[in-house]
Amino acid sequence: MKPIRVGLLGIGTVGAGTFNVLQRNQEDIRRRAGRGIEIVMVAARNTERARQLTGGQVDVVTDPFAVVNDPSIDIVVELIGGYELPRELVLKAIANGKHVVTANKALLALHGNEIFAAAQEKGVMVAFEAAVAGGVPIIKALREGLTANRIESVAGIINGTTNFILSEMRDKGLDFATVLKQAQELGYAEADPTFDIEGVDAAHKLTIMSAIAFGIPVQFDKAYIEGISQLQAVDIRYAEQLGYRIKLLGITRRTQTESGEGIELRVHPTLIPTARLIANVEGAMNAVLVQADAVGASLYYGKGAGSEPTASAVIADLVDVTRLATVDPYCRVPHLAFQPNEMTDVAIVPMAEITTSYYLRVYVKDQLGVMADLTRILADGGISIDAVLQKEPGNQVNLDIIMLTHQTREKNIDAAITKIEALPAVIGKVTRIRLETLS
Amino acid sequence: MKPIRVGLLGIGTVGAGTFNVLQRNQEDIRRRAGRGIEIVMVAARNTERARQLTGGQVDVVTDPFAVVNDPSIDIVVELIGGYELPRELVLKAIANGKHVVTANKALLALHGNEIFAAAQEKGVMVAFEAAVAGGVPIIKALREGLTANRIESVAGIINGTTNFILSEMRDKGLDFATVLKQAQELGYAEADPTFDIEGVDAAHKLTIMSAIAFGIPVQFDKAYIEGISQLQAVDIRYAEQLGYRIKLLGITRRTQTESGEGIELRVHPTLIPTARLIANVEGAMNAVLVQADAVGASLYYGKGAGSEPTASAVIADLVDVTRLATVDPYCRVPHLAFQPNEMTDVAIVPMAEITTSYYLRVYVKDQLGVMADLTRILADGGISIDAVLQKEPGNQVNLDIIMLTHQTREKNIDAAITKIEALPAVIGKVTRIRLETLS
């Protein structure tokens, strides 16, 4: 059989990795796929560099639409990044009857519903293993490996930059700004790190996993997003003393609210018991923990970014698409795991309605009775306390009081915090970090 | 579309789990698969129990061949266990043009080549996700998720019974026999635990992963197998003091011997640095660590046994088979990951040729010069020492000398051990446990 013909949109880090791995392992890949996979065309702004990278073996063009409109191309690999141009290109490729492989989580988190509907209509595949957790085959695990299960929750360390920063802050006792600077120098953080450190990138990935896990449309606009830029070294230290690590977790799970079933969809710094495997995922690594009714807990760990790890996922998709290019679309795995006519509309719950535990740090003047006031306020709000730690940070006058609460609704803790901050003995704002036992 | 019709051979622990999960999640499964999956026939020795379990909804028979020969059955699920009867049944099902799903690692490790060849010939699928690591979708990860990669090694905790025993021995400082008894009382170990504790079960699973990872036939007869029944509590303790945990690992990897490329295939107790994620997999859990050239290290963790975790894998296979039942066989994933005509014959290397590091414990009379003798013997054998620990176990006269070596060939360490055991100061046999840094 003739090799399948692939057109690449963009040949940056991931594009170059994809080209290199396909070249290096072409024999092994062909022996698995039963058919050669050849990149025959590349669209790049810097054509000189693209020609160098590809060794003059492929057709290099500047106009990505030239790839998307070329009738000889079977699969388009979109690695441009961003939203609008990729959206246009992917929709055009689909309209032209081409299969698409993309690593673009932003695109799918925002425009996934439109793109998958168009692909469904046209009978083509849009594959996106590389969009979540890089080389870790988590999309395949969720969509195919766990099909027997009612999935209860997905919780992931799905942004390597922030996990690297948090690991360094804990290891070396440094503050956020210092570590961010180091991370930028080492290439672990972008010059403009906003998307990573503010949790947006993690929320894109979480949105995609949420849709697949629960059979709902992608709903990025409903995600709650809180990054790590406000996180203080002192809270990492106190958490450690209480037996917890702080990770930026993306969490999506089924929940019951007062008005019925709902889905939580949230990214924020989270205390996790140190004994959990996922709490020990350090540096730029990614890990996703899935809870499901039949299999119980399972965890998937590996490199979430980088040239060749991401290329590994892109090429796995290329092999899948190559295998199924000619079969009846009905025989393929649905884009969002559930058949398009079988999606549900369970609502994403507002943050006030989620249920979790909390780490609270209250900075107080060391006055008699302040602890009594704090515990009274929590008790009145129906919030139980699991642990208390009292620390003198630096001077002998004021105190940090740290409390871990039982599970409660976020609106309850918010109401209690408002009351706590109104106490005369309390200085400034209460620090609140969510806590998940993940048991 | 009419539901696909499934016949179950055996309705023990996994069979009952499969029936129950399929019933409980039938809506979710149908919404994913796009077609209902129905167990319509069950073969069981105890028909009364089978009728109870299935609530009178399915046809219960005693003769498994009645299922395999029933023309209305599309997929046969083999959950009998053992070798010969399942082999006959599976081959008959294939001959009758039926797809097969099996959880039987022993069957595939021994008769996989024959079975897959028959399935290939007949154009049917034999799916076996449940045969390795229970509910963890490791077969899918290796066969499909990592298709871009040249896989370098696979190292797994793939037997829950032994991992439970080792965790308990370490946690509680108990010896093997005591913990085994507890494990049997708790249902974590069989009445006859030989297959588990002697590493045979792990070797079955490893043999299957080795074939998939490297594109070689299953070769169970070439596997080196050493269990945990000889492991002493004192070595677990010393290992801990040196920063290591002892796990029963199944290891398969590419290696270079003096005569060229080869594959290591071995199951034995192994020291792993405590800092590694896989060293922290405790209790009856399973985990598989894969090293591959593009993606680097990735790890897959979850329940490796039990009714519903194993059922999760059986049903995932049922969904895959249902989707691809009617497509051209060429569009399916090959049984052993590589196209049947693209397998290689890289040899499994004999144990003497493998390369690893070692933990050695030598029990000696406390005589001047014994350490000099030991280090001289190792140096003469070209073996470097990484760490030494000297302990007085109980009395003040004799000593345990513990040494960790650099990587060396097994035949070199064996030769050195023979010389060490001949020293007058050395009492009894040298304890030798292999050590993998997994970095």
Side-chain angles (χ1 to χ4, degrees), chain A residues 26-95:
Chain A
Q26 60 180 326
E27 261 309 289
D28 271 21
I29 294 166
R30 189 194 52 72
R31 287 172 53 216
R32 291 188 178 106
R35 185 173 175 188
I37 298 174
E38 270 181 21
I39 294 174
V40 295
M41 201 171 183
V42 172
R45 261 179 293 187
N46 185 338
T47 51
E48 197 44 55
R49 185 173 164 280
R51 279 199 193 89
Q52 261 173 11
L53 283 170
T54 56
Q57 299 167 49
V58 309
D59 196 5
V60 175
V61 297
T62 48
D63 178 14
F65 285 95
V67 176
V68 158
N69 290 322
D70 186 312
S72 84
I73 299 286
D74 302 303
I75 310 174
V76 169
V77 179
E78 186 277 304
L79 300 171
I80 294 181
Y83 308 86
E84 270 319 307
L85 178 58
R87 176 178 162 275
E88 265 185 74
L89 287 164
V90 165
L91 288 173
K92 188 71 187 165
I94 291 168

Side-chain angles (χ1 to χ4, degrees), chain B residues 52-213:
Chain B
Q52 259 173 13
L53 283 169
T54 56
Q57 298 167 52
V58 309
D59 196 4
V60 175
V61 298
T62 47
D63 177 15
F65 285 94
V67 176
V68 158
N69 290 322
D70 187 312
S72 83
I73 300 286
D74 302 303
I75 309 175
V76 170
V77 178
E78 186 277 305
L79 301 171
I80 295 182
Y83 308 87
E84 270 319 307
L85 178 60
R87 175 178 162 275
E88 266 185 73
L89 287 164
V90 165
L91 289 173
K92 188 71 188 164
I94 291 168
N96 287 338
K98 297 185 195 314
H99 304 291
V100 174
V101 173
T102 178
N104 192 333
K105 43 247 161 198
L107 175 71
L108 296 180
L110 273 83
H111 303 299
N113 300 324
E114 179 187 16
I115 288 169
F116 297 135
Q120 178 68 19
E121 175 94 21
K122 204 63 189 170
V124 298
M125 288 172 272
V126 176
F128 52 94
E129 183 63 80
V132 182
V136 183
I138 183 64
I139 299 298
K140 193 171 273 289
L142 284 170
R143 284 205 318 190
E144 304 173 42
L146 304 180
T147 40
N149 293 264
R150 181 176 165 89
I151 293 174
E152 297 299 338
S153 69
V154 178
I157 296 172
I158 43 181
N159 179 273
T161 304
T162 45
N163 203 54
F164 174 83
I165 292 173
L166 293 176
S167 296
E168 289 288 297
M169 285 176 75
R170 184 182 64 83
D171 252 23
K172 306 190 174 150
L174 298 172
D175 64 17
F176 174 78
T178 310
V179 177
L180 173 60
K181 220 177 140 203
Q182 288 179 357
Q184 286 171 318
E185 283 160 13
L186 289 167
Y188 283 117
E190 309 270 345
D192 177 359
T194 316
F195 259 43
D196 290 318
I197 65 173
E198 295 306 347
V200 179
D201 174 74
H204 285 150
K205 296 166 181 166
L206 184 69
T207 298
I208 297 169
M209 290 199 287
S210 181
I212 289 173

Side-chain angles (χ1 to χ4, degrees), chain B residues 221-392:
Chain B
D221 57 322
K222 304 277 176 53
Y224 172 83
I225 310 174
E226 181 184 322
I228 63 165
S229 58
Q230 302 307 312
L231 201 64
Q232 295 184 45
V234 63
D235 294 307
I236 293 177
R237 203 161 63 240
Y238 290 154
E240 194 83 3
Q241 291 167 13
L242 289 159
Y244 294 83
R245 297 246 166 104
I246 299 182
K247 296 289 182 187
L248 183 69
L249 275 197
I251 300 168
T252 184
R253 76 169 154 217
R254 296 181 192 278
T255 189
Q256 284 295 330
T257 67
E258 284 143 14
S259 51
E261 203 190 359
I263 305 280
E264 297 181 358
L265 182 63
R266 49 190 171 101
V267 172
H268 51 69
T270 313
L271 274 77
I272 313 169
T274 308
R276 301 279 177 270
L277 214 53
I278 196 170
N280 293 281
V281 170
E282 300 293 354
M285 301 303 280
N286 278 202
V288 178
L289 176 66
V290 184
Q291 279 284 352
D293 69 340
V295 75
S298 59
L299 180 136
Y300 309 84
Y301 163 92
K303 288 193 180 133
S307 175
E308 294 208 351
T310 311
S312 172
V314 168
I315 297 170
D317 277 349
L318 282 172
V319 173
D320 279 1
V321 170
T322 298
R323 280 205 179 104
L324 299 175
T326 57
V327 309
D328 186 323
Y330 204 71
C331 300
R332 300 171 187 151
V333 180
H335 290 110
L336 291 178
F338 291 77
Q339 300 292 333
N341 58 339
E342 298 281 2
M343 307 281 281
T344 61
D345 56 356
V346 185
I348 307 296
V349 301
M351 206 52 192
E353 298 298 327
I354 71 133
T355 303
T356 187
S357 302
Y358 294 87
Y359 163 103
L360 302 178
R361 175 166 58 84
V362 191
Y363 190 47
V364 300
K365 295 171 211 153
D366 187 9
Q367 289 179 336
L368 210 66
V370 61
M371 186 65 93
D373 288 341
L374 292 178
T375 50
R376 161 68 45 209
I377 289 171
L378 291 174
D380 286 349
I383 301 161
S384 309
I385 300 172
D386 270 354
V388 174
L389 189 68
Q390 191 167 308
K391 290 277 175 180
E392 290 176 3

Side-chain angles (χ1 to χ4, degrees), chain A residues 168-184:
Chain A
E168 289 288 297
M169 285 176 75
R170 184 182 65 83
D171 251 23
K172 304 188 176 152
L174 298 171
D175 65 17
F176 174 78
T178 310
V179 177
L180 173 60
K181 222 178 140 203
Q182 289 178 357
Q184 286 171 318

